[in-house]
Amino acid sequence: MFAAKAIDTSDKAAFYRDLATQLKALLEGERDSIANAANTAALIFQMVPDLNWAGFYFLQSDEEMVLGPFQGKPACVRIAVGKGVCGTAVELGTSMLIKDVHDFPGHIACDADSRSELVVLLEDDDGVFGVLDLDSPLPARFDKADQAGIETLAAIYAAASSFED
């Protein structure tokens, strides 16, 4: 049985290396994309400090994403590509690090307590298939070290999971 181990957060690079090791161990031997997304969201929410939401949105079509497994308050179920931080990340094909969501034109406020947001792309050999979204009630909570660490976790999730119907 997997049990998350406390990680020192004073060195972000080391923190994310240790978290990546734990995520690989958690997902080892499981290929189900929904189960893996649920456990990935839970581990991130448990281990990454100062989050109020961590979860997935998956592309349902070229125009829309639908909510996947998450931790936090109930969330927006559907997000159009090009709308909000998540939809903009997909449209632009890049991660988005937003220091203050109130300054982001078109921000979708699923939780009024959120102040900063980090969205990273989920990609496989066929391209982008969704996003991993983290929200914090603290302005400027995320930096480039967080972005690099969460991009690594998203890649671990994508590599561990099967997306066959």
Side-chain angles (χ1 to χ4, degrees):
M1 175 173 210
F2 176 85
K5 295 178 179 65
I7 305 172
D8 179 10
T9 60
S10 62
D11 177 346
K12 278 191 183 181
F15 168 78
Y16 282 111
R17 278 193 305 275
D18 289 349
L19 189 56
T21 299
Q22 289 195 38
L23 182 59
K24 286 177 187 174
L26 177 59
L27 303 184
E28 184 178 3
E30 182 55 63
R31 299 288 296 155
D32 186 87
S33 62
I34 299 300
N36 285 345
N39 272 332
T40 299
L43 183 67
I44 290 170
F45 194 76
Q46 177 184 356
M47 302 300 289
V48 176
D50 301 317
L51 297 183
N52 62 325
W53 203 89
F56 291 82
Y57 282 94
F58 296 110
L59 279 169
Q60 290 297 102
S61 69
D62 290 339
E63 292 89 34
E64 185 177 62
M65 291 182 291
V66 68
L67 180 65
F70 69 93
Q71 298 283 309
K73 291 181 182 178
C76 303
V77 175
R78 297 184 182 274
I79 297 177
V81 171
K83 302 294 182 190
V85 179
C86 291
T88 300
V90 170
E91 182 177 63
L92 297 177
T94 189
S95 295
M96 303 280 298
L97 195 160
I98 307 301
K99 295 195 178 292
D100 189 338
V101 296
H102 296 123
D103 294 337
F104 186 85
H107 172 252
I108 301 169
C110 297
D111 180 352
D113 292 336
S114 293
R115 289 295 308 276
S116 58
E117 188 167 3
L118 174 60
V119 176
V120 302
L121 299 177
L122 300 172
E123 299 179 87
D124 62 14
D125 292 339
D126 296 324
V128 174
F129 63 89
V131 298
L132 175 54
D133 180 22
L134 278 62
D135 292 359
S136 174
L138 304 178
R141 159 60 187 87
F142 305 107
D143 60 20
K144 291 293 187 184
D146 294 298
Q147 181 177 329
I150 298 300
E151 286 172 345
T152 297
L153 299 180
I156 291 167
Y157 162 76
S161 301
S162 174
F163 302 97
E164 312 268 327
D165 287 335

